């Protein structure tokens, strides 16, 4: 067998990786059976990974950030975990303030003390080549957050996972979030980095027991030379609700993939995303909604605003299995090109095996409306301001899905900053 | 204030205005009437600076400046207001944010301090009450889901807040019931003044019963073919355009 990227790293690093030795070996074997996904895999067709697959990266060296570096990214009154180069910085985190019924721990601690997380961790990937980088993450995972909310507990404070990348190299992050029966919690993630070329490979697993509710907000504002591969796995039991909004601004190549299994009846899944592209960025949003049981609801709205030669991809698959009668699944993807050289790709896929279901999808690609721009100019707005207001209006529908006003404002500020940096004329 | 000389303008290569002359002095209200397709809306768009309305000949001077040299937004900041026949919906753009951004762009141009949220709200309430307008409309996205009458009232509310010098109102009376027409007319009249001028583009005499013009012009086939006082509008109401546009018979 040919040598796959990261084989040498895995052999060398594994003695020092925290716990789960057997699981890591199995996962690496699964990864090695396929290696990196690429052009030949439909779901990865646009995601050019050669810079991180060609010459394997080393783990990013330990580094630190100052309280001043992170201040602008904090959510008031949140339970915050700060990770620098993929490792928890305890001094900057306040997890010991978690209220009763919630445990928030470092994955590294949990694995090192020998807790068996494999019942959770093994659910993230199967043998498909599409899952190879999730398996690689399982093999190399170094740290992350393990959050467990007990049955019936409502966590008021948002739990905020903040990731800062300060050096070249890779971070293999794994977060596991388990919400017990009837529990509710808000989990926000933020990714920020410098100018170095680095790779964040993060896998999030969300498990929602019966009637549980998770509000999820994701802010990906990595450095412009970064590679960001985010893989979310969501499992919903009966009557559970998952509401997720992802804003994607950073990275040279960035991917946010969310796979949802509607495993219990009447579960609801709401997924939304905004991509803002510039330069030669590639921003890939991939969703797989698997309705396995009846009466499930899913709706998705993904939007992209693309400048320069940037490229946004939306691939949304909805599977409605034979038993999943009365499923209501909606999907929408809308793109605005600010430059003729920008590109949007939209690929809805519906696989419907039940006969009594509602499934709708729609996709658009266009420029900012000239009538609207003229109307705004006729009221005295210069073209740049007019365009910025229209773009803000375009993405508002997505931001309004965020339940927390603090998080919504934070995302809006990010988007405002992006618009401010555009010529938009 | 506004001097249009021998204006020729084309849309998609087709000449619509064919040598139009019009002089509007401060304090005056001019009504431009004419049958469909005579070039009324083209004149309004040319004055506002819409892309695609190409001036091929002639000149337009506004307050001593060459209006045609200015971009649409420069004209608006300099006091030219176009009230749209079909106000445009702006999804996701909050009415309050939009109007405050516009008002502050105009104020900066006039060398006035910008208004903060509270001062702007005060100004808005004052103008909205003048128009008997529910200011909840302004909390919604601009014109989205508004009725025809609400859109026209919103135009006049914007005009009141922006306080323009030259008001060009394109078929502002179309689609209004009599109550809305009265309210909109009241708004227009409130903005009349010795240092302001109004150009009303309209198809019907109806609006002119409420906003009394100093001059009425008939636009046909791209030119002003007759000018007179308000009695001209009454004559048109009675006889139609037949005396001015033979094919209208």
């Amino acid at each position: 067998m040919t040598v796959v990227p990261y084989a040498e790293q895995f052999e060398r690093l594994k003695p020092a990786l925290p716990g789960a030795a057997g699981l890591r070996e199995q996962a690496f074997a699964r990864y090695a059976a396929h290696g990196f996904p690429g052009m030949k895999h439909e779901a990865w067709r646009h995601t050019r990974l050669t810079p991180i697959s060609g010459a394997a990266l080393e783990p990013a060296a330990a580094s630190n950030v100052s309280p001043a570096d992170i201040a602008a990214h904090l959510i008031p009154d949140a339970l915050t975990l700060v990770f620098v180069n993929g490792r928890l910085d305890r001094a900057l985190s306040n997890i010991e303030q978690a209220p009763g019924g919630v445990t928030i721990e470092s994955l590294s601690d949990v694995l090192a003390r020998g807790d068996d997380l494999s019942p959770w961790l093994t659910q993230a990937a199967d043998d498909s080549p599409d899952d190879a980088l999730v398996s690689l993450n399982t093999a190399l995972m170094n740290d992350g957050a393990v959050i467990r909310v007990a049955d019936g507990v409502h966590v008021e404070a948002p739990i905020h996972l903040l990731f800062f990348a300060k050096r070249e190299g890779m971070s293999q992050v794994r977060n596991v979030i388990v919400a017990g029966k009837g529990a509710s919690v808000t989990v926000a993630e933020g990714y920020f980095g410098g100018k170095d070329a680095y790779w964040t490979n993060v896998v999030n697993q969300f498990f929602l027991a019966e009637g549980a509710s998770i509000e999820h907000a994701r802010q990906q504002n990595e450095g412009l030379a970064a590679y960001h591969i985010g893989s979310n796995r969501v499992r919903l039991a009966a009557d559970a609700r998952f509401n997720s909004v992802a804003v994607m601004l950073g990275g040279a190549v960035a991917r946010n993939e969310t796979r949802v299994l509607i495993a219990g009846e009447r579960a609801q899944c709401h997924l939304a995303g905004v991509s803002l592209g510039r330069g030669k960025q590639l921003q890939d949003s991939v969703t797989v909604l698997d309705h396995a049981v009846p009466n499930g609801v899913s709706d998705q709205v993904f939007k992209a605003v693309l400048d320069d030669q940037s490229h946004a991809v939306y691939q949304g698959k909805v599977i409605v299995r034979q038993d999943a009668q009365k499923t209501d699944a909606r999907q929408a993807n809308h793109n605005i090109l600010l430059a003729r050289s920008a590109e949007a790709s939209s690929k809805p896929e519906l696989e419907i095996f039940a006969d009594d279901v509602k499934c709708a999808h729609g996709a658009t690609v266009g420029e900012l409306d000239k009538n609207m721009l003229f109307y705004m100019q006729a009221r005295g707005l210069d073209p740049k301001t007019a365009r910025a207001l229209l773009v803000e209006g375009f993405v508002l529908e997505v931001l309004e899905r965020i339940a927390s006003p603090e998080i919504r404002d934070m995302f809006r500020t990010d988007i405002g900053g992006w618009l401010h940096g555009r010529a938009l004329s | 204030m506004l001097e249009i000389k021998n204006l020729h303008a084309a849309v998609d290569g087709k000449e619509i205005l064919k040598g139009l002359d019009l002089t509007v002095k401060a304090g005056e209200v001019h009504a431009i009437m004419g049958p469909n397709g005579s070039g009324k809306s083209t004149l309004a768009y040319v004055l506002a600076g819409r892309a695609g309305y190409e001036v091929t000949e002639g000149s337009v001077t506004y307050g001593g400046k060459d209006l045609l040299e200015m971009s649409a937004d420069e004209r608006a900041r300099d006091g030219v207001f176009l009230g749209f026949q079909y106000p445009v919906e702006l999804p996701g753009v909050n009415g309050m944010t939009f109007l405050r951004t516009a008002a502050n762009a105009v104020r900066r141009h006039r060398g006035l301090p910008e208004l903060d949220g509270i001062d702007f709200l005060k100004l808005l309430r004052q103008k909205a009450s003048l128009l008997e307008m529910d200011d909840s409309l302004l909390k919604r996205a601009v014109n989205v889901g508004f009725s025809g009458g609400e859109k026209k009232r919103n135009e006049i509310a914007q005009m009141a807040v922006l306080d323009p010098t030259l008001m060009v109102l394109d078929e502002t009376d179309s689609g209004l019931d009599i109550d809305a027409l009265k309210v909109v007319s009241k708004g227009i009249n409130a903005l009349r003044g010795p240092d302001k001028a109004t150009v009303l583009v309209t198809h019907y005499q109806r609006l002119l019963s409420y906003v009394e013009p100093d001059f009425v012009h008939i636009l046909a086939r791209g030119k002003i073919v007759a000018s007179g006082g308000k009695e001209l509008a009454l004559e048109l109401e009675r006889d139609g355009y037949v005396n001015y546009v033979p094919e209208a018979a």
Side-chain angles (χ1 to χ4, degrees), chain B residues 7-24:
Chain B
L7 183 65
H8 291 252
V11 182
D12 292 332
K14 187 176 179 238
E15 189 168 61
I16 310 283
L17 298 181
K18 301 169 180 169
L20 187 144
D21 295 288
L22 180 69
T23 302
V24 178

Side-chain angles (χ1 to χ4, degrees), chain A residues 110-193:
Chain A
V110 175
L111 293 175
R113 74 170 180 245
D115 278 19
D116 184 12
L117 291 181
S118 57
W120 307 118
L121 297 174
T122 52
Q123 291 187 48
D126 60 24
D127 289 328
S128 152
D130 290 338
D131 277 349
L133 295 183
V134 174
S135 292
L136 182 64
N137 175 280
T138 307
L140 291 170
M141 60 189 172
N142 188 50
D143 209 349
V146 179
I147 299 166
R148 286 178 262 212
V149 184
D151 292 353
V153 172
H154 300 280
V155 188
E156 280 295 317
I159 299 173
H160 194 193
L161 313 178
L162 268 174
F163 298 88
F164 294 90
K166 296 282 280 188
R167 300 274 174 79
E168 291 184 0
M170 63 171 175
S171 294
Q172 299 284 347
V173 176
R174 185 67 158 260
N175 300 307
V176 179
I177 297 104
V178 183
K181 286 180 186 170
S184 67
V185 63
T186 296
V187 178
E189 306 166 71
Y191 297 86
F192 304 91

Side-chain angles (χ1 to χ4, degrees), chain B:
Chain B
M1 174 180 296
L2 180 71
E3 185 139 31
I4 304 175
K5 282 187 184 161
N6 189 33
L7 183 65
H8 291 252
V11 182
D12 292 332
K14 187 176 179 238
E15 189 168 61
I16 310 283
L17 298 181
K18 301 169 180 169
L20 187 144
D21 295 288
L22 180 69
T23 302
V24 178
K25 296 201 175 81
E28 296 176 348
V29 175
H30 290 244
I32 311 275
M33 303 184 72
N36 288 329
S38 58
K40 301 191 302 288
S41 286
T42 299
L43 173 63
Y45 283 141
V46 166
L47 292 177
R50 182 171 200 149
Y53 288 74
E54 195 199 345
V55 174
T56 50
E57 208 182 323
S59 66
V60 181
T61 313
Y62 164 71
K65 283 173 271 193
D66 182 356
L67 188 72
L68 302 176
E69 282 297 303
M70 298 160 77
S71 67
D73 50 304
E74 283 168 349
R75 296 181 199 193
R77 289 193 294 274
D78 210 36
V80 178
F81 182 94
L82 172 65
F84 281 60
Q85 182 177 6
Y86 302 108
V88 180
E89 299 189 5
L90 304 177
V93 180
N94 176 272
M96 208 81 88
T97 308
F98 174 57
L99 195 45
R100 182 153 79 97
T101 308
N104 281 334
V106 170
R107 290 177 67 88
R108 271 197 306 276
H109 178 76
R110 291 181 187 163
L112 296 169
E114 294 187 29
L115 295 175
D116 64 17
I118 294 163
D119 287 340
F120 176 73
L121 201 61
K122 275 187 206 156
L123 175 72
L124 194 62
R125 290 247 160 86
Q126 180 202 334
K127 303 290 185 188
S129 72
L130 175 86
L131 285 174
E132 298 165 37
M133 194 171 138
D134 181 358
D135 64 8
S136 71
L137 277 183
L138 287 158
K139 290 174 185 150
R140 291 161 48 184
V142 178
N143 291 326
V144 176
F146 288 20
S147 70
E150 285 171 338
K151 284 182 181 172
K152 294 296 173 71
R153 282 193 202 199
N154 196 33
E155 293 291 284
I156 303 302
Q158 292 177 3
M159 186 167 88
V161 168
L162 298 178
D163 193 23
T165 309
L166 174 65
M167 290 158 272
V168 180
L169 301 173
D170 187 10
E171 307 263 359
T172 294
D173 49 338
S174 68
L176 292 184
D177 63 28
I178 192 72
D179 292 327
L181 183 67
K182 283 182 186 167
V183 169
V184 164
S185 304
K186 195 174 151 191
I188 298 170
N189 285 326
L191 283 161
R192 292 175 75 157
D195 52 352
K196 293 174 185 296
T198 306
V199 176
L200 297 171
V201 172
T202 183
H203 192 76
Y204 299 106
Q205 190 273 336
R206 202 171 65 139
L207 173 68
L208 306 182
S209 310
Y210 298 96
V211 183
E212 214 171 274
D214 301 300
F215 300 94
V216 174
H217 309 276
I218 300 173
L219 180 60
R221 284 165 299 181
K223 281 182 175 180
I224 302 278
V225 293
S227 297
K230 62 186 182 233
E231 68 287 348
L232 184 57
L234 295 169
E235 182 202 315
L236 286 176
E237 186 74 0
R238 195 180 61 233
D239 302 338
Y241 291 105
V242 66
N243 295 328
Y244 303 96
V245 191
E247 61 267 33

